[in-house]
């Protein structure tokens, strides 16, 4: 692969290695992440890894690329319904086994490495793009005032659920999702 930040979608072996990298980060964080352990967990040779990615940083960038899935929300013309879809998608994503540990490891890397930090920002904004679309459509329909700051509102929605999942390490259960939806809709008026 020429772009170390690209995913391994067309390479089943690369996907398998990145899946193993996720498990390795989830199980032991950055301190446990070595190329030897990755090769062992992925059941490949180190040369197979290095053929795809020249170094660990490139593996982390590819992992960020694979990890940066947008929330899937169908446009239905109703703010409440689209928010419900978004919350359900984030609940599935953030409750995946190891999500917290992988997120924490990648955030630590992002704090110390500019390239990983930029990849983290791309991931964050790809998550926000869906919310931005939901809110922009609501503004266009007149459900929300046109003077509202969409970036701050995006952060308002994402912040509490991410805080609970990553910083507190709590599962996002149905009752929590219902409360977040109720509170956010109340805040929007």
């Amino acid at each position: 692969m020429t772009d170390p930040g690209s995913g391994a979608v067309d390479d089943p072996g690369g996907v398998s290695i990145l899946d193993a990298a996720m498990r390795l980060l989830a199980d032991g964080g950055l301190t446990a992440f070595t190329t030897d352990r990755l090769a062992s967990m992925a059941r490949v040779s180190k040369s197979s890894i290095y053929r795809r990615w020249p170094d660990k940083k490139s593996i982390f960038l590819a992992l960020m690329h694979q990890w940066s899935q947008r929330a899937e929300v169908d446009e239905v013309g109703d703010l409440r319904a689209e928010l419900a879809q978004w919350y359900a998608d984030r609940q599935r994503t953030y409750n995946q086994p190891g999500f917290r540990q992988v997120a924490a490891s990648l955030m630590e890397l992002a704090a110390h490495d500019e390239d990983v930090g930029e990849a983290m920002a791309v991931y964050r904004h790809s998550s926000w793009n869906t919310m931005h679309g939901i809110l922009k459509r609501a503004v266009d329909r007149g459900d929300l005032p046109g003077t509202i700051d969409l970036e701050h509102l995006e952060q308002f929605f994402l912040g509490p659920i991410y805080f609970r999942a990553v910083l507190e390490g709590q599962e996002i259960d149905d009752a929590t999702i219902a409360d977040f939806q109720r509170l956010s809709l109340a805040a929007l008026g």
Side-chain angles (χ1 to χ4, degrees), residues 60-133:
F60 294 134
L61 290 171
L63 189 57
M64 280 300 309
H65 186 81
Q66 178 177 318
W67 199 40
S68 62
Q69 300 300 313
R70 287 178 54 161
E72 296 294 326
V73 174
D74 296 325
E75 185 177 336
V76 296
D78 178 70
L79 176 61
R80 184 180 303 265
E82 290 180 13
L83 285 176
Q85 288 181 56
W86 181 83
Y87 274 114
D89 182 276
R90 296 297 83 190
Q91 180 182 23
R92 281 188 303 277
T93 298
Y94 294 172
N95 283 342
Q96 290 176 4
F99 179 85
R100 177 184 191 218
Q101 294 84 351
V102 172
S105 293
L106 292 174
M107 281 192 293
E108 180 182 347
L109 278 169
H112 300 286
D113 186 291
E114 185 177 326
D115 293 334
V116 177
E118 288 175 14
M120 178 68 83
V122 168
Y123 161 72
R124 192 172 51 250
H125 288 288
S126 74
S127 295
W128 292 358
N129 284 346
T130 302
M131 178 55 72
H132 184 87

